[in-house]
């Protein structure tokens, strides 16, 4: 199987180390992975702001760019969810089909459900608190939503169990929103900042040294709270932990 690595624009610009870790981990696992050049935004910011039509050309470009691949894999639950849930409708308006929606995966989802590694070489001797982001939980099923009466599961925790030396915790409000929410954090900054503060304090209560999760956007929001308030905790993308030492 041939994999096209999808690196969202904000990861490319702000957290390139997450993209590098994703590539290294997939290669380490013996996968045929390629990073197609000239990637652009998937169109999520435009659609979130009410300008879904402006995302059409970006969706079309992404379809063309990733057409040769069997899987599209990206380290961002929110961007992957946007392509999976919204690109089909956006492209249908222009009478175009969407192939990417059927083959795109968040990288954690891909590792857990498709690759299914039995071991990893990663060592991370730290306490981490697991952040379950809204898109990852409720659109991609990376963990079970707390509001549903179903057996508890977490694909992220399953993957972290393969890391040597790590201690994994979860906050009391296990999947409450951190307040980022795309355009919400811009349109309602006071509410967003307060939600971010409350979420970070919930993570801090676990005694963890790091907050980790599958969405750099959520981690970025909480990192802003941490730096502004000088709080004794850090953020790290889960893929950086899984690829640690490669």
């Amino acid at each position: 199987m041939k994999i096209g690595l999808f690196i969202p624009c904000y990861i490319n610009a702000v957290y390139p180390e997450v993209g590098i870790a994703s590539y290294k981990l997939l290669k380490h696992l013996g996968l045929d992975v390629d990073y197609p050049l000239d990637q652009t935004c998937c169109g999520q910011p435009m659609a979130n702001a009410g300008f879904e039509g402006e995302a059409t050309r970006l969706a079309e470009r992404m379809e063309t760019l990733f057409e040769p691949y069997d899987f599209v894999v990206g380290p961002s639950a929110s961007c992957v969810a946007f392509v999976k849930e919204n690109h089909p409708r956006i492209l249908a308006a222009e009478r175009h089909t969407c192939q990417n929606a059927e083959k795109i995966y968040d990288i954690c989802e891909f590792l857990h459900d498709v690759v299914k590694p039995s071991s990893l070489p990663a060592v991370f001797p730290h306490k981490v608190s697991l952040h379950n982001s809204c898109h990852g939980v409720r659109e991609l099923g990376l963990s079970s939503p707390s509001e549903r009466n179903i057996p508890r599961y977490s694909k992220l925790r399953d993957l972290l169990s393969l890391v040597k030396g790590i201690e994994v915790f979860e906050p009391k409000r296990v999947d409450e929103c951190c307040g980022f929410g795309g355009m919400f954090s811009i349109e309602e900054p006071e509410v967003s900042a307060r939600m971010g503060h409350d979420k970070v304090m919930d993570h801090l209560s676990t005694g963890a040294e790091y907050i980790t999760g599958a969405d750099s956007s959520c981690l970025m929001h909480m990192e802003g709270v941490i730096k502004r308030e000088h709080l004794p905790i850090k953020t790290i993308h889960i893929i950086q932990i899984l690829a640690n030492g490669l």
Side-chain angles (χ1 to χ4, degrees), residues 201-216:
M201 297 307 293
D202 202 8
H203 282 297
L204 260 174
S205 71
T206 67
E209 303 163 73
Y210 291 88
I211 302 171
T212 193
D215 252 313
S216 288

Side-chain angles (χ1 to χ4, degrees), residues 187-207:
E187 295 169 346
E188 299 286 349
E190 294 84 3
V191 178
S192 174
R194 183 66 208 189
M195 291 174 69
H197 168 83
D198 290 349
K199 190 65 185 184
V200 171
M201 297 307 293
D202 202 8
H203 282 297
L204 260 174
S205 71
T206 67

Side-chain angles (χ1 to χ4, degrees), residues 61-122:
R61 180 178 179 81
M62 190 167 177
E63 275 293 305
T64 301
L65 196 63
F66 286 95
E67 191 277 331
Y69 302 98
D70 301 306
F71 293 96
V72 182
V73 176
S76 170
S78 63
C79 296
V80 167
F82 180 76
V83 173
K84 182 180 288 290
E85 298 294 328
N86 294 281
H87 272 201
R89 184 183 68 258
I90 291 171
L91 292 172
E94 299 295 322
R95 298 183 180 180
H96 294 162
T97 59
C98 180
Q99 301 299 321
N100 285 336
E102 301 299 323
K103 62 183 181 181
I104 193 166
Y105 287 81
D106 171 78
I107 190 169
C108 293
E109 177 189 22
F110 183 72
L111 292 172
H112 187 278
D113 295 353
V114 180
V115 182
K116 302 178 182 179
S118 58
S119 64
L120 290 172

